[in-house]
Amino acid sequence: MEPIDRRTASRPTRERSVRERPTRERPTPERSVRELASVLDSSGLAVTPLGPDRPLVLASPVILDPLEPSRSVPGGLLLGVGVAADSAGPALREAARAGYAAVVLKGSVSPQDRSGTTARLSAEADAAGIAVLVVEGELSWRQLDTLLESALGAVAEAGEAPTALGAGDLFALANAIAAMVGGATTIENLQEEVLAYSTLPGQPIDLDRQQGILGRQVPHLPENAAQYASVFRARGAVRIPGEGEALGRLAVAVRAGNEPLGSVWVVDPGEDLPDEAATALERGADLAALHLLRARSGRDLARLRRAEGLRRLIHGDDDAALVARHLNLGLRPPFAVLAFEADLPAGAEAVTLTRLTDLVSTMTESQRRGTWCVGEDGAVYAVLSEVSAKEGPLLRTLARRVIDRASTALGVRLRAALGTSVDSAPAIVASRHSADQALLLLDPEGKGPEGDGFVRAADLHSRLSLLELGAFLQTKEQLVSPAAQEMASYDTRNGSEYATTLLAYLESGRDSALAAAALSLHQNTLRYRLKRIRELFDVDLSHADDVLLLWISLRVKRTG
């Protein structure tokens, strides 16, 4: 069985094979498997350590590949993907021979239960001389891998008892704040993503903190908006009382001057942290600002460059194909643009627009490969690649989720439209244009054909074509039916409804009964109006060409 570095397994390299690529090691390797288990436990993850404690090299975990021969990775951490706890013996022995310190398994065991599977697994680990970490819960291997990376970073950088606020990375700073203030600490950015969390033992946490750490995102709760608003309005630390099973918090905004960068939150289980704790937290926020500014500078520059490139794509830059290649986003045809338009309150702060763009980006880019987002003028455009004809229902579901999340998390109402599919990067602008046009055809309440705030341009092809034709006819009035122009002017001057009557008659296939019912008229009244139309505007309904031009002219005028 061959352990594969997960960073290289999904992409080829021109220089060396996957098996030849060295594992990236972290500094300060003098740690143990039990220390890692303690950090994971303090983050809210249910972990059962079995077997002997072993020295652990703080390197990126590798994934078990049973189809390849093993290689030696002394002191490393192996993810036992596909290995069941009740039949893990051979895998443990192979991992021990390869030099691993520990194998991570997913399952459900209790450290108090030493019979059955748990006892056998513990005995097999002892016999092989390798530690085992059994992780419980509905966690995917991808999520677990990310969490292990963070925990290894915390063990490597933070140490056991941080005392100096200036040392280490954000994890070390979170630990330092937790030690000084007296409660479990998280550091967040403006998008409410958990950037770092403390790992000191013995500090109580609640379910909200556990979920935030596991997902690296603060759970979306109804009270979030008010709480964050109070934190960012204040110039110092703010006490947030607990609600229900949630513990209280002591929180402070992180700023560079007057510019908000994020926030620091400390669990206050008894809601009785002293005033000195607030002062310590404010000092920690000043140091967190330095970290966030340093981390943000390079990321923001890359983000701005990407956003500018995406804007050039959706606006039809002459070098769209070159821009797409330069962005190196992996965009492949067919393309389509999914547009989200927001009803923002007057004078909405820039942070609201930023959060909206990040919310749409996070949900669409994480759930669909080959998707990139950019915000512009109160709208967010998701550029989709490799769009198949069968994806309509999936994209509708994705749009609904984004609309619902924006409503609950940000209090913002969204409408969404999927543009037409196109086959080249220069044509992406056409997809965006069709999405914008489709948004215009949503009813005043922002509801689509299924009442869900979502519409597909492909379902509105005729109406969109008429919109385009109407825009063209406005620049070429000589192509509009003279009778239609005269009829519209007459109705405006006299308050009559001849244009509406004739259009309803033509759209009902010249069926008098259907047209009269659509207009809520008696058939005799309809016949009288048709007679007057012939007399006043010299309309000959027996001439096919005249009727076609007349119908198109009346239809585009109504649509416009």
Side-chain angles (χ1 to χ4, degrees):
M1 59 180 181
E2 164 69 355
I4 296 180
D5 190 325
R6 75 214 183 290
R7 282 175 176 73
T8 61
S10 61
R11 59 180 186 271
T13 174
R14 297 178 181 177
E15 298 179 358
R16 59 179 69 182
S17 69
V18 169
R19 289 185 295 276
E20 295 171 333
R21 185 175 292 248
T23 302
R24 177 171 54 89
E25 293 192 359
R26 301 174 182 271
T28 60
E30 300 82 18
R31 297 289 183 264
S32 71
V33 174
R34 295 296 170 123
E35 287 182 76
L36 175 62
S38 177
V39 170
L40 292 170
D41 185 71
S42 68
S43 72
L45 193 66
V47 180
T48 301
L50 302 174
D53 195 11
R54 293 286 308 277
L56 181 66
V57 172
L58 301 180
S60 299
V62 292
I63 296 176
L64 174 66
D65 185 355
L67 301 180
E68 297 289 340
S70 61
R71 64 181 173 87
S72 178
V73 184
L77 190 65
L78 180 66
L79 304 185
V81 178
V83 178
D86 58 358
S87 58
L92 297 184
R93 290 188 289 273
E94 279 289 318
R97 283 194 291 269
Y100 285 97
V103 175
V104 180
L105 302 177
K106 283 172 45 176
S108 179
V109 298
S110 169
Q112 289 78 31
D113 177 15
R114 293 304 173 187
S115 62
T117 301
T118 305
R120 287 197 304 274
L121 185 59
S122 181
E124 288 171 339
D126 286 329
I130 191 170
V132 175
L133 296 178
V134 182
V135 180
E136 301 184 37
E138 299 296 324
L139 216 63
S140 70
W141 279 108
R142 181 175 181 178
Q143 292 173 314
L144 181 56
D145 183 31
T146 301
L147 189 60
L148 285 167
E149 279 281 331
S150 299
L152 287 166
V155 171
E157 302 288 346
E160 295 182 359
T163 57
L165 281 176
D169 66 359
L170 275 179
F171 280 92
L173 179 58
N175 272 336
I177 294 174
M180 294 181 63
V181 177
T185 300
T186 54
I187 301 175
E188 305 172 7
N189 62 14
L190 288 177
Q191 290 72 47
E192 300 173 23
E193 297 170 335
V194 177
L195 302 178
Y197 51 88
S198 63
T199 58
L200 300 186
Q203 293 184 330
I205 64 173
D206 55 19
L207 182 61
D208 290 347
R209 173 183 160 92
Q210 179 180 338
Q211 291 179 342
I213 290 174
L214 293 179
R216 301 304 292 270
Q217 177 73 49
V218 175
H220 294 287
L221 302 172
E223 60 269 20
N224 281 12
Q227 291 180 355
Y228 279 94
S230 67
V231 171
F232 283 106
R233 279 197 303 265
R235 300 307 301 180
V238 175
R239 295 183 184 273
I240 306 292
E243 294 188 16
E245 297 181 358
L247 300 175
R249 297 289 196 275
L250 187 64
V252 66
V254 178
R255 293 186 177 90
N258 291 322
E259 181 185 0
L261 301 174
S263 55
V264 182
W265 295 72
V266 177
V267 175
D268 185 3
E271 299 185 16
D272 55 0
L273 289 175
D275 293 338
E276 292 79 7
T279 302
L281 179 58
E282 291 162 8
R283 289 175 52 206
D286 291 338
L287 289 172
L290 300 177
H291 286 279
L292 295 184
L293 279 174
R294 185 177 62 210
R296 197 182 71 168
S297 57
R299 183 178 67 248
D300 280 359
L301 180 59
R303 182 175 182 174
L304 287 172
R305 288 175 176 171
R306 187 186 74 183
E308 179 59 28
L310 287 169
R311 288 190 181 96
R312 292 173 66 182
L313 283 180
I314 66 176
H315 285 292
D317 190 279
D318 292 338
D319 297 322
L322 181 61
V323 170
R325 289 196 298 270
H326 179 70
L327 286 174
N328 194 28
L329 302 180
L331 296 175
R332 297 180 180 179
F335 304 108
V337 173
L338 179 59
F340 295 90
E341 186 179 55
D343 284 333
L344 294 173
E349 297 181 358
V351 68
T352 303
L353 294 174
T354 300
R355 285 185 175 181
L356 176 61
T357 302
D358 286 329
L359 183 148
V360 174
S361 300
T362 299
M363 295 191 67
T364 56
E365 293 177 8
S366 64
Q367 295 187 35
R368 191 186 184 284
R369 184 176 62 88
T371 299
W372 298 93
C373 297
V374 62
E376 186 174 75
D377 297 331
V380 181
Y381 297 98
V383 180
L384 316 177
S385 63
E386 298 183 86
V387 181
S388 72
K390 299 178 180 179
E391 281 192 279
L394 295 177
L395 294 176
R396 177 185 294 275
T397 299
L398 174 59
R400 284 172 173 168
R401 290 174 179 168
V402 173
I403 292 170
D404 291 343
R405 182 62 60 86
S407 176
T408 57
L410 302 178
V412 174
R413 187 174 70 172
L414 289 182
R415 297 175 294 277
L418 178 64
T420 53
S421 179
V422 296
D423 292 326
S424 66
I428 289 176
V429 60
S431 182
R432 179 199 61 82
H433 181 68
S434 67
D436 286 340
Q437 293 287 80
L439 286 171
L440 293 175
L441 296 179
L442 289 170
D443 68 25
E445 295 298 320
K447 300 300 182 182
E450 297 188 17
D452 57 359
F454 173 82
V455 66
R456 292 196 322 155
D459 297 332
L460 303 172
H461 179 74
S462 298
R463 295 181 65 187
L464 292 176
S465 297
L466 287 170
L467 278 177
E468 294 286 347
L469 183 56
F472 176 75
L473 290 180
Q474 287 180 359
T475 65
K476 302 287 184 180
E477 290 193 3
Q478 68 272 21
L479 300 179
V480 179
S481 166
Q485 290 180 318
E486 187 178 354
M487 203 178 306
S489 299
Y490 186 93
D491 285 344
T492 301
R493 293 193 308 269
N494 298 281
S496 54
E497 297 182 351
Y498 289 124
T500 301
T501 300
L502 181 56
L503 186 58
Y505 178 67
L506 295 175
E507 289 183 338
S508 64
R510 301 192 188 190
D511 187 315
S512 298
L514 289 177
L519 295 168
S520 301
L521 297 176
H522 193 279
Q523 288 193 53
N524 288 337
T525 304
L526 174 67
R527 293 189 185 100
Y528 173 77
R529 288 188 182 180
L530 292 174
K531 177 183 176 183
R532 291 292 293 161
I533 288 171
R534 295 186 185 96
E535 295 172 351
L536 291 172
F537 311 112
D538 193 25
V539 170
D540 182 3
L541 296 181
S542 65
H543 195 290
D545 291 343
D546 290 347
V547 171
L548 176 61
L549 182 59
L550 182 60
W551 177 81
I552 290 176
S553 300
L554 292 173
R555 187 68 175 80
V556 296
K557 280 183 175 293
R558 187 179 74 176
T559 302

